[in-house]
């Protein structure tokens, strides 16, 4: 049976962070139960899907902002309408302030077995500027609660290159994260996205971006310290202890099929891409009509050539890189011949290395890989 990943979008937060450009809403508590009810109805529209679901991911927004009962209802719907593998990886994103004993008990009982906590920093001044609702102490308390209750497979999100986050602060952030012994870490450089407070503050001169050289020093320090602590970097932003790589996110980078459910969720099925509508009225109306809430203008049928180029680019995000044999077999090409110019050029520039039948980025390539991507396209 073919496998499928499920992504369920929970578009609610207690408060929008100053860097956030995701599809999420605060001050919408009255909509939460209605949205959950409609999301269950959307799940039911897919109940004839003849595939084995081997990963489920609740993202947002802040899924842990839903009540324990609401999350239980959603998990019950998923298990009722899909064939979920016994060993499926089932992940929920959480923010520290919304993690409670009641929530964790409900998650464990419903089959959720991986917990991704958005920490971002352990420095209270940095957290305040980011608009986060928690502080360092809250993180330590909530991780202790998770461990006490048996939520051992947990991941922490960190963010670097924040204003007010000096190299010294970042070094302490890394040390604090390692001290909590997560099985996995996702670490991102701050992006200034339009319509966010950070973007407005930068444009007005209220804050100053961390320069590129410092950003790269922070990334290299992260790589060095996590490697020393036993973490394996398997993707540009992802680090894991042995056997704890994130299976769901790896579907994105290896072009496996996933189905997105909920407001604005994206799907990738074969050569077809599509997104759900991104406003509540249209979402509710489609489901009331018994239709999938897909945005008509989002449906895109990729050509095999486009799929091939995307496969190369996404696989190069992985530290192990691209298997030449696999890409040749998958697309019926001679990769080294077809992309000879780009490969030879960047073997010389030092961005790439070709070893044991795999093409992968060097450390320099991990920093400036876009140059290779442009030549592929």
């Amino acid at each position: 049976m073919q496998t499928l990943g499920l992504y369920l979008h929970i578009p609610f937060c207690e408060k929008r962070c100053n860097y956030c450009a995701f599809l999420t809403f605060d001050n919408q508590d009255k909509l939460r139960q209605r949205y959950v009810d409609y999301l269950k109805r959307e799940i039911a529209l897919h109940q004839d899907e003849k595939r084995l679901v081997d990963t489920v991911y609740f993202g947002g927004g802040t899924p842990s902002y839903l009540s324990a009962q609401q999350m239980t209802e959603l998990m019950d719907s998923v298990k009722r309408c899909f064939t979920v593998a016994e060993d499926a990886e089932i992940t929920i994103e959480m923010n520290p302030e919304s993690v409670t004993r009641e929530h964790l008990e409900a998650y464990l009982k419903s089959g959720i077995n991986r917990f991704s906590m958005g920490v971002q920093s352990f420095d209270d001044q940095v957290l305040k500027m980011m608009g986060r609702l928690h502080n360092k102490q809250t993180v330590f308390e909530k991780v202790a609660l998770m461990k006490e209750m048996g939520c051992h497979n947990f991941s922490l999100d960190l963010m670097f290159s924040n204003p007010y986050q000096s190299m010294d602060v970042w070094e302490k952030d890394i040390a604090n994260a390692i001290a909590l012994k997560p099985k996995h870490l996702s670490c991102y450089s701050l992006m200034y996205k339009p319509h966010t407070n950070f973007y407005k503050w930068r444009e007005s001169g209220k804050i100053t971006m961390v320069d590129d050289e410092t950003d790269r020093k922070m990334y290299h320090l992260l790589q060095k310290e996590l490697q020393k602590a036993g973490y394996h970097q398997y993707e540009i932003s992802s680090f894991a202890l042995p056997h704890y790589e994130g299976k769901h996110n790896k579907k994105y980078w290896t072009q496996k099929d996933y189905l997105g459910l909920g407001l604005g969720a994206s799907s990738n099925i074969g050569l077809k891409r599509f997104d759900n509508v991104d406003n509540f009225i249209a979402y509710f109306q489609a489901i009331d009509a018994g239709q999938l809430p897909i945005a008509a203008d989002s449906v895109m049928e990729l050509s095999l050539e486009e799929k091939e180029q995307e496969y190369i680019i996404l696989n190069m995000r992985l530290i192990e890189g691209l298997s030449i044999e696999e890409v040749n077999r998958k697309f019926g090409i001679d990769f080294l011949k077809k992309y000879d110019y780009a490969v030879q050029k960047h073997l010389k520039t030092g961005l790439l290395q070709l070893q044991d039948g795999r093409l992968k980025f060097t450390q320099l390539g991990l920093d400036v890989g876009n140059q290779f991507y442009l030549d592929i396209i």
Side-chain angles (χ1 to χ4, degrees), residues 33-50:
Q33 186 59 53
R34 186 181 181 195
Y35 179 78
V36 168
D37 291 339
Y38 274 81
L39 182 51
K40 290 189 296 183
R41 290 169 62 183
E42 184 190 358
I43 292 168
L45 291 173
H46 291 277
Q47 61 187 343
D48 294 329
E49 180 69 50
K50 303 298 182 188

Side-chain angles (χ1 to χ4, degrees), residues 270-290:
L271 291 174
K272 186 176 284 188
R273 288 283 165 72
F274 51 93
D275 301 331
N276 277 357
V277 294
D278 61 3
N279 73 81
F280 289 109
I281 293 174
Y283 181 73
F284 296 152
Q285 286 177 340
I287 293 171
D288 279 337

Side-chain angles (χ1 to χ4, degrees), residues 2-48:
Q2 284 188 308
T3 59
L4 180 70
L6 288 185
Y7 172 84
L8 295 95
H9 190 66
I10 309 300
F12 301 108
C13 285
E14 186 172 351
K15 177 180 177 294
R16 179 182 283 275
C17 297
N18 292 326
Y19 56 85
C20 178
F22 292 119
L23 181 63
T24 186
F25 304 88
D26 52 13
N27 299 314
Q28 293 289 346
D29 290 2
K30 292 179 180 178
L31 261 182
R32 282 189 293 173
Q33 186 59 53
R34 186 181 181 195
Y35 179 78
V36 168
D37 291 339
Y38 274 81
L39 182 51
K40 290 189 296 183
R41 290 169 62 183
E42 184 190 358
I43 292 168
L45 291 173
H46 291 277
Q47 61 187 343
D48 294 329

Side-chain angles (χ1 to χ4, degrees), residues 85-103:
E86 286 188 16
D87 62 347
E89 175 194 88
I90 305 176
T91 305
I92 184 168
E93 290 183 347
M94 311 183 302
N95 279 342
E97 70 277 358
S98 55
V99 173
T100 67
R101 184 177 295 274
E102 180 191 14
H103 279 86

Side-chain angles (χ1 to χ4, degrees), residues 111-365:
I112 294 171
N113 52 28
R114 187 170 180 270
F115 309 85
S116 179
M117 183 182 283
V119 173
Q120 315 312 352
S121 177
F122 291 87
D123 185 274
D124 288 346
Q125 184 183 18
V126 172
L127 288 169
K128 186 175 181 180
M129 185 189 190
M130 295 170 79
R132 304 293 286 173
L133 292 174
H134 69 273
N135 57 26
K136 173 183 175 180
Q137 184 60 32
T138 303
V139 176
F140 277 87
E141 289 172 358
K142 296 307 174 70
V143 169
L145 177 63
M146 288 162 60
K147 290 179 177 179
E148 175 197 330
M149 298 187 66
C151 306
H152 297 298
N153 186 7
F154 70 94
S155 176
L156 301 181
D157 284 3
L158 292 181
M159 190 175 286
F160 58 96
S161 291
N162 272 291
Y164 300 169
Q165 189 182 34
S166 64
M167 188 65 75
D168 181 56
V169 168
W170 178 231
E171 192 168 0
K172 290 175 182 175
D173 279 344
I174 298 169
N176 277 309
I178 291 170
L180 291 174
K181 300 181 179 177
K183 297 294 193 287
H184 185 280
L185 285 145
S186 296
C187 306
Y188 307 98
S189 177
L190 173 67
M191 303 288 286
Y192 289 79
K193 298 290 184 78
H195 311 300
T196 64
N197 284 335
F198 268 19
Y199 183 87
K200 296 171 191 171
W201 294 341
R202 184 192 67 180
E203 295 303 293
S204 69
K206 183 177 178 180
I207 58 175
T208 304
M209 283 180 64
V210 171
D211 62 78
D212 289 343
E213 183 180 353
T214 303
D215 175 89
R216 290 300 84 192
K217 283 182 179 178
M218 287 181 161
Y219 183 57
H220 298 159
L221 177 66
L222 172 75
Q223 291 175 305
K224 183 182 77 170
E225 293 302 315
L226 290 185
Q227 183 180 23
K228 277 166 47 180
Y231 290 87
H232 162 64
Q233 184 178 12
Y234 67 97
E235 187 267 341
I236 288 176
S237 303
S238 305
F239 304 78
L241 294 177
H243 314 300
Y244 285 98
E245 294 182 0
K247 295 176 184 176
H248 183 82
N249 282 351
K250 209 166 181 181
K251 284 184 181 289
Y252 302 147
W253 306 316
T254 54
Q255 229 177 40
K256 297 293 193 298
D257 286 355
Y258 55 88
L259 178 65
L261 303 168
L263 201 69
S266 299
S267 299
N268 174 67
I269 307 292
L271 291 174
K272 186 176 284 188
R273 288 283 165 72
F274 51 93
D275 301 331
N276 277 357
V277 294
D278 61 3
N279 73 81
F280 289 109
I281 293 174
Y283 181 73
F284 296 152
Q285 286 177 340
I287 293 171
D288 279 337
Q291 299 172 349
L292 295 176
I294 296 170
D297 60 357
S298 75
V299 180
M300 181 170 57
E301 193 89 26
L302 297 183
S303 68
L304 199 59
E305 180 87 0
E306 289 170 328
K307 196 78 171 177
E308 175 188 308
Q309 292 175 350
E310 184 189 76
Y311 180 85
I312 293 164
I313 290 168
L314 289 174
N315 270 254
M316 289 298 289
R317 284 189 62 91
L318 299 170
I319 301 304
E320 66 181 8
L322 178 75
S323 165
I324 306 299
E325 180 183 352
E326 192 172 321
V327 73
N328 287 347
R329 176 180 51 78
K330 188 175 178 73
F331 295 100
I333 62 171
D334 183 337
F335 172 82
L336 292 177
K337 183 177 181 181
K338 182 172 182 177
Y339 295 99
D340 177 69
Y341 169 76
V343 171
Q344 293 303 322
K345 174 183 176 180
H346 292 296
L347 285 172
K348 291 175 183 173
T349 60
L351 266 63
L352 301 177
Q353 56 183 338
L354 187 57
Q355 185 178 8
D356 299 328
R358 304 193 79 91
L359 185 73
K360 56 186 177 181
F361 282 132
T362 61
Q363 180 62 61
L364 177 62

